[in-house]
Amino acid sequence: MAETGEEVSAEASGFSDLSDSEFLEYLDLEDTQESSASLSKPSPSSELPGKDGKLISLPKWKRRLDISSPMERFHLNYLYVTDLCTQDWCEQQMVYERELPGFLAPEKAAVLDTGASIHLARELEVHDLVTIPINTKEDAWAVKFLNILSMIPILQSEGRIREFPVFGEVEGVLLVGVIDELHYTAKGELELAELKTRRRPMLPLEAQKKKDCFQVNLYKYIFDAMVQGKVTSASLIHHTKLCPDKPLGPSVLRHAQQGGFSVKSLGDLMELVFLSLTLSDLPVIDILKIEYIHQETATVLGTEIVAFEEKEVKGKLQHYMAYWMGHREPQGVDVEEAWKCRTCNYADICEWRKGGGMPSSILEPQAKKVK
């Protein structure tokens, strides 16, 4: 907690949000199992070689026959910030990753592990981590709330914090993430700093930077709403299906009491968090900064100061959430960005590419008319 310089382990909370730090999509094991079971019967013509050389069946895109939305089909109560950021890179690729969970190349997994180690080292510079056993999703969110409560006083005293949880409803969907770092500049401005590790000692292409900029814009959008009192406990409960009256587990309760919080249930903690956020007079984020460093040498490759484009962010949110709510089918990249397909694991079976920029489920009826 704030008094002891300790933070509850993100692993213990069940919301490590590794994807938010390293910008690689993370899918909970529970979500993976549920989403796999809910997919329609695979088409024998759509197969992809797995890690062991065996063919993996790919469900063909016949969503015009499926009335459920992607949120329902994948059994999701909320989305991570990076779910939307991967859409910004290629929405169709993101869908294939959801439909084929676990298809992660060993070299990509190694990059993830290295990046996570660097982020952990940075976090330990500010506070220690305390692992707390949890048994319920209410305990998991309680840990998240305890971390927020411990960080608010530090921000009030113009200190530096890392791994700050953020959440808020956007276009009818709950969005969750973790900000790498918040600190104040010499001029007293609140600055968000996002760390990006690079396998090679060079800055990313503009397309990657664009995706990173969208990520930090989303963080500011959600954080500002939280400190301005625009996020409500009712919305959070509605989306997460949490039970606020459920008593906290003994380990979580003990840690809360050690931090000076007299609470018994998740609802007690939620009330404290929302009161603290609105009454603490925390400022909105003034500056967005992205720092790129080389994984092997920890050399800083460069920094980017990002402008907050609220109108553009809102437009993208409406477009991306329309997919998750089932209002439209997924889309691939435009012709100008087809170069992204060269490094995509799903290029050979991508229906967007085969359809010349439109899903084959849309093109099929047109083909019949030609005949």
Side-chain angles (χ1 to χ4, degrees):
M1 313 309 296
E3 294 81 358
T4 61
E6 296 177 344
E7 181 188 349
V8 179
S9 169
E11 291 182 359
S13 74
F15 299 96
S16 64
D17 289 324
L18 177 60
S19 57
D20 291 320
S21 297
E22 280 305 285
F23 217 164
L24 292 172
E25 182 168 272
Y26 172 76
L27 188 63
D28 288 327
L29 179 59
E30 181 179 358
D31 291 339
T32 298
Q33 293 169 340
E34 291 178 340
S35 62
S36 298
S38 67
L39 296 173
S40 57
K41 292 183 179 180
S43 166
S45 61
S46 300
E47 296 180 316
L48 194 67
K51 296 178 184 178
D52 55 1
K54 297 181 179 179
L55 292 178
I56 300 175
S57 296
L58 175 71
K60 197 170 183 180
W61 186 252
K62 297 291 185 182
R63 287 164 179 77
R64 66 183 186 277
L65 302 177
D66 189 349
I67 60 173
S68 63
S69 70
M71 292 295 292
E72 295 167 329
R73 189 164 59 252
F74 297 127
H75 298 271
L76 301 175
N77 291 328
Y78 54 86
L79 297 174
Y80 289 108
V81 165
T82 45
D83 288 323
L84 271 64
C85 296
T86 50
Q87 281 182 274
D88 203 50
W89 179 260
C90 177
E91 187 173 75
Q92 184 67 75
Q93 183 188 68
M94 179 208 66
V95 173
Y96 284 138
E97 288 175 349
R98 284 279 179 182
E99 293 178 335
L100 292 172
F103 194 81
L104 182 65
E107 56 272 17
K108 190 174 181 180
V111 171
L112 247 179
D113 291 340
T114 304
S117 299
I118 294 173
H119 277 84
L120 178 60
R122 287 250 181 142
E123 186 177 359
L124 291 175
E125 292 174 1
V126 176
H127 50 233
D128 297 326
L129 293 180
V130 178
T131 300
I132 296 180
I134 60 172
N135 299 312
T136 66
K137 62 181 180 180
E138 282 77 17
D139 280 355
W141 276 90
V143 168
K144 186 184 288 286
F145 292 145
L146 285 171
N147 284 334
I148 292 176
L149 287 171
S150 71
M151 294 183 192
I152 287 177
I154 300 175
L155 276 182
Q156 286 178 306
S157 60
E158 298 191 356
R160 178 188 303 265
I161 62 172
R162 289 199 170 111
E163 304 298 318
F164 186 86
V166 291
F167 49 85
E169 183 177 314
V170 178
E171 298 295 323
V173 177
L174 182 67
L175 201 55
V176 177
V178 176
I179 294 175
D180 268 359
E181 181 177 315
L182 289 169
H183 61 255
Y184 291 89
T185 66
K187 296 181 179 180
E189 299 170 303
L190 183 58
E191 181 176 88
L192 180 154
E194 175 72 16
L195 173 66
K196 295 295 181 187
T197 59
R198 301 285 296 165
R199 186 172 55 177
R200 293 183 294 177
M202 62 180 64
L203 289 172
L205 298 173
E206 287 303 314
Q208 176 71 56
K209 288 183 180 180
K210 178 183 175 183
K211 188 174 66 169
D212 297 341
C213 291
F214 180 52
Q215 182 180 4
V216 295
N217 266 256
L218 283 178
Y219 285 148
K220 172 177 167 57
Y221 189 82
I222 303 172
F223 178 88
D224 289 359
M226 290 174 67
V227 300
Q228 291 172 341
K230 297 179 180 178
V231 180
T232 67
S233 58
S235 172
L236 185 63
I237 293 171
H238 168 72
H239 289 287
T240 58
K241 313 302 180 188
L242 292 168
C243 181
D245 297 327
K246 193 166 188 174
L248 297 174
S251 298
V252 178
L253 186 61
R254 183 166 54 252
H255 194 83
Q257 292 171 344
Q258 290 173 353
F261 303 117
S262 300
V263 294
K264 295 182 179 180
S265 67
L266 178 68
D268 294 340
L269 263 181
M270 292 179 70
E271 184 177 352
L272 275 178
V273 167
F274 284 99
L275 280 175
S276 298
L277 284 171
T278 54
L279 300 179
S280 59
D281 200 29
L282 290 177
V284 298
I285 295 172
D286 300 301
I287 302 173
L288 301 173
K289 183 177 73 175
I290 303 173
E291 181 181 20
Y292 296 97
I293 70 170
H294 184 216
Q295 283 190 352
E296 185 176 346
T297 63
T299 303
V300 177
L301 303 175
T303 58
E304 297 278 340
I305 300 298
V306 179
F308 179 60
E309 305 288 350
E310 185 173 6
K311 184 177 180 181
E312 181 179 345
V313 170
K314 287 183 176 179
K316 285 189 173 183
L317 283 172
Q318 290 175 351
H319 178 68
Y320 294 147
M321 290 306 186
Y323 160 73
W324 289 107
M325 298 298 285
H327 300 320
R328 63 173 178 83
E329 293 190 339
Q331 300 173 356
V333 297
D334 294 331
V335 175
E336 294 78 9
E337 294 189 334
W339 54 269
K340 294 179 180 179
C341 303
R342 294 198 296 267
T343 57
C344 179
N345 292 331
Y346 312 99
D348 292 339
I349 48 84
C350 179
E351 292 189 1
W352 182 263
R353 294 184 72 205
K354 291 178 181 179
M358 295 185 69
S360 58
S361 59
I362 296 178
L363 292 178
E364 283 173 3
Q366 296 175 352
K368 291 179 181 180
K369 289 181 180 180
V370 172
K371 292 180 180 181

